[in-house]
């Protein structure tokens, strides 16, 4: 299944995308897509529904993040061998854990707010796991049994806050809207091999990242198991697992969302993999485009 939350911010409804791409309403069967809705029992009930019997949703409503009510938003840094190589960093001997504030979570197409004093706003395409059952001290072999599904995450950062000021990475990762997620969660049965997913990202129409989860240093299972040794993962929790290499240096002037008037960039939805391509949840790209209103230097990020 491809599960979504759609509607105005704060009033989202649960839905699913059927095989034809039609959005259908799930409100009669589940109140919202919280961690409880992603339990194995709940997913089994939803999977048993006939999508054709669900109300079709007309138009093109906004998509919110495909999960709400999370207890934590965990991230793994420097987890792709090509990314580590480009930064000149040593391959880490253990996964690098950091946190993003829960309030950074946002819809995949929502405006991204540029923080006050920001000079190095940045983007990273990643694959995230959504936890379906409580995980504490789980083994690597058992880790994926605790996953409800996967989705695309854009780990937005303010690098000056993260790297050039004192303290941990969290303050450069946690501004409101710094966690676009979605548009949908693909349940595990949709993904044959989470370690064989294609991913890419475009900025201003030019390719900036091309990668695959094949080059992850620590597998999805390893990341989940490792994090569970230090904190209890609850249903709905998000673990986003790092980003592949870039083709050009960070922070080029054309790459940054610049808008002194409204301090926003814009995200648009991820693209699905081509029909018959089972290697990815979706092939992802991020592109800057102009805002609907005239605003020099105000691009949009398109996933």
């Amino acid at each position: 299944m491809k599960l979504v939350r759609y509607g105005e911010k704060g009033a989202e409804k649960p839905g699913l995308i059927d095989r034809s791409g039609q959005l259908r309403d799930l409100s009669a069967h589940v109140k919202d897509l919280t961690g409880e809705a992603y339990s194995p029992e709940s997913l089994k009930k939803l999977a048993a529904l006939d999508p054709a019997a669900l109300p079709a949703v007309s138009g093109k409503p906004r998509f919110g993040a495909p999960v709400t009510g999370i207890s934590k938003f965990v991230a793994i840094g420097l987890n792709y061998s090509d990314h580590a190589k480009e930064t000149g960093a040593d391959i880490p001997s253990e996964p690098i854990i950091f946190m993003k504030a829960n309030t950074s979570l946002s819809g995949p197409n929502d405006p991204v707010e540029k923080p006050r004093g920001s000079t190095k706003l940045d983007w990273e395409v990643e694959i995230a796991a959504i936890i379906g059952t409580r995980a504490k001290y789980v083994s690597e072999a058992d880790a994926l049994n605790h996953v409800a599904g996967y989705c695309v995450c854009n780990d937005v950062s303010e690098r000056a806050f993260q790297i050039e000021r004192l303290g941990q990475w969290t303050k450069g990762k946690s501004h409101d809207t710094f966690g676009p997620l979605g548009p949908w969660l693909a349940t595990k049965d949709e993904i044959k091999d989470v370690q064989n997913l294609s991913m890419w990202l475009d900025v201003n129409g030019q390719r900036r990242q091309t990668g695959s989860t094949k080059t992850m240093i620590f597998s999805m299972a390893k990341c989940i198991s490792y994090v569970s040794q230090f904190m209890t993962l609850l249903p709905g929790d998000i673990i986003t697992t790092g980003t592949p290499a870039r083709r050009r240096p960070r922070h080029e002037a054309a790459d940054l969302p610049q808008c002194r008037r409204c301090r926003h960039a814009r995200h648009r939805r991820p693209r699905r993999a081509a029909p018959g391509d089972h290697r990815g949840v979706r092939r992802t790209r991020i592109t800057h485009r102009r805002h609907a209103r005239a605003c020099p230097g105000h691009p949009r990020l398109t996933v």
Side-chain angles (χ1 to χ4, degrees), residues 2-52:
K2 297 177 179 64
L3 299 172
V4 302
R5 297 175 64 247
Y6 70 95
E8 295 301 314
K9 190 172 183 179
E12 293 92 345
K13 295 180 179 181
L16 65 77
I17 307 295
D18 69 18
R19 292 188 179 277
S20 71
Q22 173 65 52
L23 171 61
R24 295 188 178 272
D25 183 60
L26 281 173
S27 298
H29 302 278
V30 62
K31 184 176 180 180
D32 204 347
L33 295 180
T34 61
E36 182 179 358
Y38 284 127
S39 70
E41 296 79 12
S42 176
L43 290 178
K44 184 177 180 180
K45 290 179 181 179
L46 294 178
L49 298 174
D50 177 10

Side-chain angles (χ1 to χ4, degrees), residues 73-186:
F73 194 162
V74 186
I76 306 297
L78 208 65
N79 193 33
Y80 282 71
S81 55
D82 49 358
H83 182 42
K85 182 178 179 180
E86 72 167 346
T87 63
D90 294 334
I91 298 295
S93 59
E94 299 182 39
I96 298 171
I97 300 174
F98 63 92
M99 307 294 288
K100 293 175 74 76
N102 292 357
T103 49
S104 70
L105 186 62
S106 65
N109 307 331
D110 291 346
V112 170
E113 182 178 316
K114 187 176 181 182
R116 294 178 182 177
S118 172
T119 58
K120 295 181 179 179
L121 193 62
D122 205 1
W123 34 258
E124 291 178 320
V125 60
E126 305 193 1
I127 300 297
I130 308 300
I131 299 300
T133 58
R134 183 178 183 272
K136 181 176 182 179
Y137 296 129
V138 300
S139 67
E140 187 172 343
D142 186 46
L144 297 186
N145 292 327
H146 294 270
V147 173
Y150 304 99
C151 54
V152 170
C153 178
N154 183 4
D155 178 18
V156 182
S157 309
E158 211 305 325
R159 298 300 187 187
F161 296 176
Q162 176 190 352
I163 298 169
E164 299 172 15
R165 297 176 65 173
L166 296 177
Q168 299 178 343
W169 290 1
T170 302
K171 65 177 177 287
K173 298 282 191 174
S174 294
H175 190 77
D176 292 353
T177 73
F178 272 23
L181 196 72
W184 52 69
L185 174 143

Side-chain angles (χ1 to χ4, degrees), residues 88-302:
D90 294 334
I91 298 295
S93 59
E94 299 182 39
I96 298 171
I97 300 174
F98 63 92
M99 307 294 288
K100 293 175 74 76
N102 292 357
T103 49
S104 70
L105 186 62
S106 65
N109 307 331
D110 291 346
V112 170
E113 182 178 316
K114 187 176 181 182
R116 294 178 182 177
S118 172
T119 58
K120 295 181 179 179
L121 193 62
D122 205 1
W123 34 258
E124 291 178 320
V125 60
E126 305 193 1
I127 300 297
I130 308 300
I131 299 300
T133 58
R134 183 178 183 272
K136 181 176 182 179
Y137 296 129
V138 300
S139 67
E140 187 172 343
D142 186 46
L144 297 186
N145 292 327
H146 294 270
V147 173
Y150 304 99
C151 54
V152 170
C153 178
N154 183 4
D155 178 18
V156 182
S157 309
E158 211 305 325
R159 298 300 187 187
F161 296 176
Q162 176 190 352
I163 298 169
E164 299 172 15
R165 297 176 65 173
L166 296 177
Q168 299 178 343
W169 290 1
T170 302
K171 65 177 177 287
K173 298 282 191 174
S174 294
H175 190 77
D176 292 353
T177 73
F178 272 23
L181 196 72
W184 52 69
L185 174 143
T187 51
K188 286 190 298 183
D189 57 291
E190 296 271 346
I191 309 301
K192 290 186 176 181
D193 183 1
V194 72
Q195 298 307 144
N196 190 19
L197 299 181
S198 303
M199 55 203 304
W200 66 75
L201 180 150
D202 293 344
V203 179
N204 290 336
Q206 297 184 17
R207 188 60 43 91
R208 290 291 187 267
Q209 287 181 281
T210 301
S212 168
T213 55
K214 288 180 180 180
T215 66
M216 288 172 72
I217 297 168
F218 303 105
S219 68
M220 181 69 73
K222 174 64 176 179
C223 291
I224 294 168
S225 172
Y226 184 84
V227 171
S228 78
Q229 309 305 308
F230 304 99
M231 63 190 80
T232 300
L233 297 169
L234 300 178
D237 284 353
I238 302 163
I239 301 182
T240 190
T241 54
T243 194
R246 297 163 184 252
R247 291 191 174 186
R248 295 177 65 181
R250 292 184 174 96
H251 317 312
E252 296 180 3
D255 290 355
L256 299 179
Q258 301 284 349
C259 183
R260 296 178 181 177
R261 177 170 60 82
C262 60
R263 295 181 179 273
H264 282 79
R266 180 86 177 169
H267 280 260
R268 300 187 69 184
R269 82 176 92 181
R271 305 289 185 182
R272 263 187 59 77
D277 184 349
H278 301 294
R279 293 176 297 168
V281 181
R282 59 191 64 82
R283 293 177 175 176
T284 304
R285 62 181 184 179
I286 296 182
T287 308
H288 292 278
R289 293 182 180 175
R290 296 293 179 188
H291 193 275
R293 294 176 292 175
C295 184
H298 188 176
R300 290 188 178 189
L301 295 173
T302 302

